[in-house]
Amino acid sequence: MSTRSKEFSQLAKECEKDLRDLVNLPDNYAVLWTQSGAFLQFTSVPFNIGGSRENTATYVETGHWSMEAAKEARKFINVAPAWKPQQEEYLFTLPETEELNIHKDSKYVYYCDNETVHGVEYHTPIVTEGVPVVCDMTSSYLTKPIDWDRVDVAISSAQKNLGPSGITSLIVNKDLLGRKRDDTPIMCDWETQHNCGGFYNTPNVFALYLCGLTLKHLKKFGLEFYDDLAKQRSKLIYDVFDSSNGFYKNKVNPKHRSRINCQFTLKSKEEDDKFLKAADEAGFLFLYGHDKYGGCRVNMYNAMPLEGAEKLRNFMKQYQDEQERL
Ligand SMILES: Cc1ncc(COP(=O)(O)O)c(C=O)c1O
């Protein structure tokens, strides 16, 4: 299909409409589809809304992905930390709005809604007074309604709940377009992409087509349904941890437990490995944690039915019983 064809522009139009309907997006927000994942947007944010290299932006570092974003941003702007966690605390809890220290000259505040690796999630968005908010929603996108009064830029790599990897949904408050630095690389340039209908270079047509199918499916149920489903699924798993007398350990502050990524460890790395092997043999695949941090993790995106979580719950209980009988 030619990307200049009317078929493609119809596809793009429908995707945008379905996305707008699904997330209830106000008209003053632009919808862009970009490539190179959320990572390219880690670079793009300071170029588009940070202004000059001497300016400052506040980053709420709460785990792996916000730390990656801040690390990249530091190349292009001064990064002010929003809170000072106790050692390693950031891995298990989140600062509430009142605990945040937003730099007085901050060009924007950046945070991650759901830390996929560390399993912490903001259940109510952070609030700032008059400072644009950039939110990485990659792993919680389309799993709950979004409060657009609290978010100016939403970055979401598609591969969790929207479509295949290689396409990213980027939503930008149009008031922020026009603030870019002169040396903004073209593929990072939101304003130019917006001005040419959302696509500057050859788009990933097939990925967009798949996103379109997913959006139509999600629209049949709505985001409240997926929020409820995520809560039910994750409760099943957290209940296993909480009733296991420490056999399965999850250190996340219960207030901030992710509905999507439930991370845990057993008594030792050897016990983690033994559990993972048994789970794999029983057909429960990919329960290992992130390469860098180890442990185990249950990732449950929109496509996971409640029955999937129930089966895993039963397996985990049975595994504990068997191990304790040895
Ligand atoms: C919360 C979050 N942000 C950013 C990323 C990076 O996305 P990508 O690899 O598509 O750039 C991921 C990947 O899983 C993620 O979970």
Side-chain angles (χ1 to χ4, degrees):
M1 184 194 288
S2 162
T3 52
R4 286 176 304 281
S5 64
K6 64 176 185 334
E7 287 81 2
F8 177 72
S9 66
Q10 181 57 27
L11 168 67
K13 233 193 251 166
E14 257 184 61
C15 282
E16 176 164 341
K17 180 176 180 325
D18 286 339
L19 180 61
R20 282 185 179 277
D21 291 348
L22 183 64
V23 301
N24 203 11
L25 191 67
D27 290 344
N28 62 322
Y29 282 73
V31 169
L32 306 176
W33 302 94
T34 59
Q35 300 185 47
S36 295
F39 263 99
L40 185 69
Q41 300 315 316
F42 295 169
T43 319
S44 304
V45 170
F47 275 102
N48 283 277
I49 56 172
S52 81
R53 177 72 192 79
E54 288 68 44
N55 288 344
T56 300
T58 302
Y59 275 70
V60 189
E61 292 184 63
T62 51
H64 179 75
W65 289 111
S66 48
M67 286 156 69
E68 283 287 333
K71 186 167 82 183
E72 181 65 2
R74 267 184 208 102
K75 298 174 189 168
F76 309 111
I77 195 163
N78 295 312
V79 167
W83 70 311
K84 288 205 176 61
Q86 302 300 315
Q87 208 181 10
E88 293 237 313
E89 188 193 15
Y90 70 92
L91 300 180
F92 311 115
T93 195
L94 295 169
E96 302 293 348
T97 292
E98 322 69 79
E99 296 167 76
L100 294 177
N101 180 15
I102 296 176
H103 190 277
K104 66 179 181 18
D105 298 320
S106 204
K107 292 290 168 193
Y108 59 90
V109 176
Y110 181 104
Y111 80 104
C112 180
D113 186 66
N114 180 68
E115 286 283 2
T116 321
V117 175
H118 289 108
V120 286
E121 178 179 9
Y122 272 103
H123 298 296
T124 46
I126 65 166
V127 182
T128 62
E129 290 301 329
V131 186
V133 174
V134 180
C135 183
D136 175 1
M137 297 188 177
T138 295
S139 48
S140 53
Y141 196 44
L142 310 183
T143 69
K144 60 185 172 186
I146 301 169
D147 181 353
W148 293 104
D149 288 340
R150 305 262 181 264
V151 185
D152 295 284
V153 179
I155 298 166
S156 314
S157 257
Q159 63 266 24
K160 314 294 186 192
N161 292 302
L162 175 57
S165 57
I167 188 163
T168 301
S169 161
L170 176 66
I171 293 181
V172 182
N173 184 333
K174 288 183 195 164
D175 292 347
L176 299 181
L177 298 174
R179 298 188 185 185
K180 68 179 176 199
R181 278 166 48 165
D182 291 343
D183 58 352
T184 302
I186 190 67
M187 291 319 298
C188 294
D189 181 340
W190 299 342
E191 190 186 2
T192 300
Q193 304 229 15
H194 175 59
N195 290 343
C196 58
F199 305 98
Y200 186 75
N201 72 328
T202 310
N204 185 342
V205 179
F206 189 58
L208 189 67
Y209 169 72
L210 294 176
C211 291
L213 295 181
T214 311
L215 287 167
K216 288 207 184 300
H217 180 74
L218 299 183
K219 260 179 83 173
K220 285 190 211 152
F221 300 92
L223 297 185
E224 268 93 5
F225 168 84
Y226 286 104
D227 186 14
D228 196 46
L229 180 59
K231 284 177 181 151
Q232 288 187 50
R233 272 185 322 232
S234 55
K235 181 170 184 320
L236 289 175
I237 303 303
Y238 288 123
D239 283 351
V240 174
F241 301 161
D242 294 344
S243 61
S244 75
N245 287 323
F247 185 84
Y248 298 110
K249 295 187 232 330
N250 169 278
K251 293 194 200 161
V252 173
N253 178 344
K255 269 202 309 195
H256 299 129
R257 281 175 164 178
S258 167
R259 297 161 309 130
I260 314 294
N261 312 98
C262 313
Q263 51 101 327
F264 63 100
T265 53
L266 287 86
K267 161 164 99 196
S268 63
K269 160 125 185 36
E270 289 66 39
E271 291 299 321
D272 290 350
D273 291 344
K274 199 165 134 192
F275 168 82
L276 289 168
K277 185 163 177 292
D280 206 73
E281 282 165 9
F284 298 99
L285 310 180
F286 313 122
L287 291 181
Y288 39 81
H290 190 274
D291 294 351
K292 200 166 156 189
Y293 304 92
C296 312
R297 190 167 45 138
V298 183
N299 300 311
M300 296 179 290
Y301 296 106
N302 279 348
M304 170 64 72
L306 192 59
E307 295 72 37
E310 281 166 354
K311 284 191 175 154
L312 179 60
R313 183 243 348 240
N314 295 345
F315 168 78
M316 290 178 77
K317 279 180 168 288
Q318 190 190 332
Y319 181 81
Q320 179 179 356
D321 283 350
E322 283 166 9
Q323 294 302 305
E324 287 178 344
R325 258 189 271 119
L326 288 178

